[in-house]
């Protein structure tokens, strides 16, 4: 089982990246292979000037093609996901998330914007043909007690993250069940 984690904050260390760090530890403990990406892996000019031949972009695209799932984390900026993350998502191939299970995570200063993942990020993930986009986890800043060192969250947030990761894990395994191709059923009929 292979998963990509993608940190969509322009800042590091960062609150939303701390959620991903927690997810990586949990998944690694159940033998999921995790490849971690963050915006700092890319040359800013490649993202700003839409350089589709960026070497890092090529590597990410190849790794995504081999992956079963994606966990993407973003801060909420101006009632949406970060613009820096959008510059990267814009460069991915149209079907980059085909067949993948996707779990979105977000942190924001106010719960007033907790639906930003649903109305802003999910449509983009859907445009990239994600197979299954799970309910996201939104944390307001007060729930992230520490993100500079070892991530520490409020019990409520930790519980919601654990539950989302379990759902993600189950979805990855559902995706893995080998069923015969639809057309094969007619061949044997
Ligand atoms: C430029 C900027 C715009 C922001 N806009 C919003 C906003 O519209 N809604 C909100 O809830 N939080 C907003 N915030 C707060 C961040 O979303 C919040 O602090 C988040 O946890 C930062 O995540 P990060 O540490 O991963 O970058 C904004 C922060 C910045 C720097």
């Amino acid at each position: 089982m292979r998963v990509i984690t993608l940190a969509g904050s322009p800042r590091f260390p960062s609150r939303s990246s701390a959620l991903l760090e927690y997810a990586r530890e949990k998944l690694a403990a159940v033998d999921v292979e995790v490849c971690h990406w963050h915006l700092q892996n890319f040359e800013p000019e490649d993202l700003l000037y839409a350089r589709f031949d960026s070497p890092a972009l090529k590597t990410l695209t190849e790794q995504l093609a081999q992956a079963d799932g994606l966990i993407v984390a973003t801060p909420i900026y101006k009632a949406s996901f970060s613009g820096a993350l959008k510059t990267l998502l814009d460069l991915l191939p149209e079907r980059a998330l085909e067949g993948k299970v996707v779990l979105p995570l977000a942190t924001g200063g106010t719960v007033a914007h907790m639906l930003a993942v649903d109305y802003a990020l999910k449509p983009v993930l859907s445009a990239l043909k994600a197979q299954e986009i799970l309910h996201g986890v939104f944390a307001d800043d007060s729930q992230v007690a520490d993100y500079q060192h070892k991530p520490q969250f409020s019990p409520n947030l930790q519980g919601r993250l654990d539950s989302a990761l379990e759902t993600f894990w189950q979805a990855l395994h559902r995706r893995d069940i080998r069923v015969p191709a639809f057309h094969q059923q007619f061949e044997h009929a």
Side-chain angles (χ1 to χ4, degrees), residues 124-139:
V124 179
L125 300 172
S126 182
L128 292 167
K129 309 289 184 283
Q131 176 180 304
E132 187 174 358
I133 307 172
L134 303 176
H135 285 298
V137 175
F138 175 90

Side-chain angles (χ1 to χ4, degrees), residues 9 11 14-17 75-79 107-110 113 141:
S9 176
R11 297 191 320 130
S14 96
R15 289 186 174 88
S16 54
S17 306
I76 304 300
Y77 279 3
K78 303 289 186 284
T107 60
T110 164
H113 289 153
D141 286 354

Side-chain angles (χ1 to χ4, degrees), residues 57-121:
L57 179 70
K58 190 166 174 274
T59 308
L60 171 61
T61 305
E62 285 166 3
Q63 288 189 5
L64 265 177
Q66 301 299 320
D68 303 287
L70 167 73
I71 306 182
V72 56
T74 179
I76 304 300
Y77 279 3
K78 303 289 186 284
S80 185
F81 63 99
S82 84
L85 176 60
K86 182 71 160 68
T87 61
L88 172 58
L89 296 179
D90 285 350
L91 299 185
L92 291 176
E94 194 195 330
R95 309 192 84 84
L97 299 182
E98 190 166 35
K100 322 280 171 226
V101 179
V102 183
L103 173 65
L105 308 175
T107 60
T110 164
V111 289
H113 289 153
M114 67 184 298
L115 291 179
V117 165
D118 291 327
Y119 64 68
L121 181 56

Side-chain angles (χ1 to χ4, degrees), residues 5 22 35 38 40 45 53 65 68 72 74 87 95 97 100 105 109 116 120 131 138 143 151 162 164 166 175 179 183:
T5 53
Y22 181 79
C35 300
H38 46 81
Q40 291 78 8
E45 292 83 3
D53 58 352
D68 303 287
V72 56
T74 179
T87 61
R95 309 192 84 84
L97 299 182
K100 322 280 171 226
L105 308 175
Q131 176 180 304
F138 175 90
Q143 297 179 303
D162 288 344
E166 186 174 346
R175 177 192 175 280
V179 286
H183 65 83

